[in-house]
């Protein structure tokens, strides 16, 4: 009887500990776990490699149709193949590359039609939002975004496509961020990123310095139209901006 009671009690403690462990609660007698430094570092490396690969894509360093292996890219970036493989798998989920079994990852071959379709979808999402913001956001808020527009102009002058692509996304994210809808901003940014991937025979990665400067100038014009509440000009500029990116 006594042994049975002890067994039940022991089982109860074990069950309780299990529940506590599942819930993430501290249980008595449980040794504290060390900080997962290796996990944090690995995630950090993976994120850095993902950013580097995205930059290489936009800059045209990764050629559409070419296959790249994780070990070779790892050697290029000075890291093991593991974080490269994980970053490439993320890019595969985003549609930038595809997995080639036993070889690596092939950069997706894209044409002008896909870019035009992306521009159309972006316009369908962003034009209504921009028009609403033009009616509701005071002029001084738009003036606060001028430094971001000026940053895109400086990036365009440098002629570095990857640098410009990043400043361009920052500007558009800030503008759309005024709508207060994080889901919309996230979707719009992903579409924006996709529109910056290289195309066969041209596209964003083939745009010259003059094209980037002209694109950046539209940012300032858009801010002025938004601040003035000129809905016709806002709509025209946004549509032309996306069409120009195509």
């Amino acid at each position: 009887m006594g042994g049975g009671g002890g067994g039940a009690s022991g089982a109860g403690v074990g069950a309780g500990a299990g529940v506590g462990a599942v819930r993430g609660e501290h249980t008595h007698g449980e040794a504290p776990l060390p900080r997962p430094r290796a996990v944090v570092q690995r995630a950090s490396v993976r994120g850095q490699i993902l950013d580097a690969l995205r930059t290489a894509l936009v800059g045209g360093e990764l050629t559409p149709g070419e296959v790249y292996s994780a070990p070779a890219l790892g050697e290029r970036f000075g890291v093991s193949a593991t974080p490269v493989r994980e970053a490439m798998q993320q890019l595969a989920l985003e549609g930038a590359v595809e997995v080639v079994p036993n070889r690596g990852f092939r950069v997706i071959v894209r044409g002008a039609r896909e870019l035009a379709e992306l521009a159309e979808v972006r316009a369908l999402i962003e034009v209504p939002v921009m028009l609403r913001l033009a009616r509701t956001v005071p002029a001084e808020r738009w003036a606060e975004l001028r430094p971001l527009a000026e940053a895109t102009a400086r990036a365009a002058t440098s002629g570095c496509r990857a640098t410009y692509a990043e400043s361009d996304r920052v500007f558009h994210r800030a503008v759309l961020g005024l709508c207060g809808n994080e889901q919309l901003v996230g979707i719009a940014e992903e579409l924006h990123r996709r529109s910056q991937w290289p195309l066969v025979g041209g596209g964003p990665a083939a745009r010259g310095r003059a094209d980037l400067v002209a694109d950046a100038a539209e940012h300032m014009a858009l801010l002025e139209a938004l601040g003035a509440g000129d809905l016709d000009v806002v709509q025209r500029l946004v549509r032309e901006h996306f069409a120009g990116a195509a």
Side-chain angles (χ1 to χ4, degrees):
M1 293 290 294
S9 175
V13 171
V19 171
V22 170
R23 292 178 178 171
E25 301 168 353
H26 178 70
T27 55
H28 296 291
E30 179 181 310
L33 294 174
R35 293 182 177 180
R37 295 179 179 175
V39 175
V40 172
Q41 290 176 354
R42 178 173 171 180
S44 176
V45 171
R46 182 174 64 246
Q48 292 175 37
I49 295 301
L50 180 58
D51 289 341
L53 288 171
R54 283 172 170 162
T55 297
L57 271 171
V58 173
E61 297 174 42
L62 299 181
T63 307
E66 290 295 319
V67 177
Y68 299 89
S69 70
L73 289 172
E75 184 175 351
R76 171 180 174 178
F77 292 117
V79 298
S80 70
T82 298
V84 174
R85 189 174 294 109
E86 292 172 343
M88 277 296 204
Q89 288 169 346
Q90 175 59 37
L91 289 177
L93 291 175
E94 296 176 4
V97 302
E98 60 183 353
V99 178
V100 181
N102 302 318
R103 291 186 60 194
F105 301 85
R106 178 184 291 113
V107 179
I108 294 294
V109 177
R110 305 166 62 242
R113 177 175 178 176
E114 182 178 347
L115 193 59
E117 290 174 348
L118 283 169
E120 182 180 3
V121 175
R122 291 182 66 196
L124 288 171
I125 293 176
E126 297 192 33
V127 168
V129 175
M130 295 283 193
L131 293 177
R132 175 163 59 87
L133 292 176
R135 290 191 297 264
T136 59
V137 175
E140 56 268 23
R141 291 297 304 277
W142 297 118
E144 293 172 0
L145 299 186
R146 288 181 65 91
L148 296 181
E150 293 167 353
T152 66
R154 289 193 298 272
T157 302
S158 74
C160 178
R161 294 184 294 268
T163 300
Y164 178 74
E166 177 61 26
S167 65
D168 187 37
R169 286 196 302 274
V170 169
F171 172 79
H172 282 271
R173 184 168 60 242
V175 171
L176 289 178
L178 294 178
C179 77
N181 188 328
E182 295 182 5
Q183 299 302 316
L184 183 147
V185 173
I187 291 172
E189 184 168 15
E190 181 174 347
L191 291 170
H192 192 170
R193 190 184 298 280
R194 286 172 178 261
S195 72
Q196 294 173 329
W197 293 339
L199 302 184
V200 173
R207 300 170 74 192
R209 177 177 174 277
D211 296 319
L212 299 181
V213 170
D215 192 77
E218 293 175 354
H219 293 156
M220 194 63 72
L222 177 60
L223 283 183
E224 293 175 356
L226 287 166
D230 193 330
L231 304 186
D232 291 337
V233 174
V234 168
Q235 181 167 224
R236 176 177 58 80
L237 285 173
V238 174
R239 292 188 182 281
E240 290 179 352
H241 189 66
F242 292 161

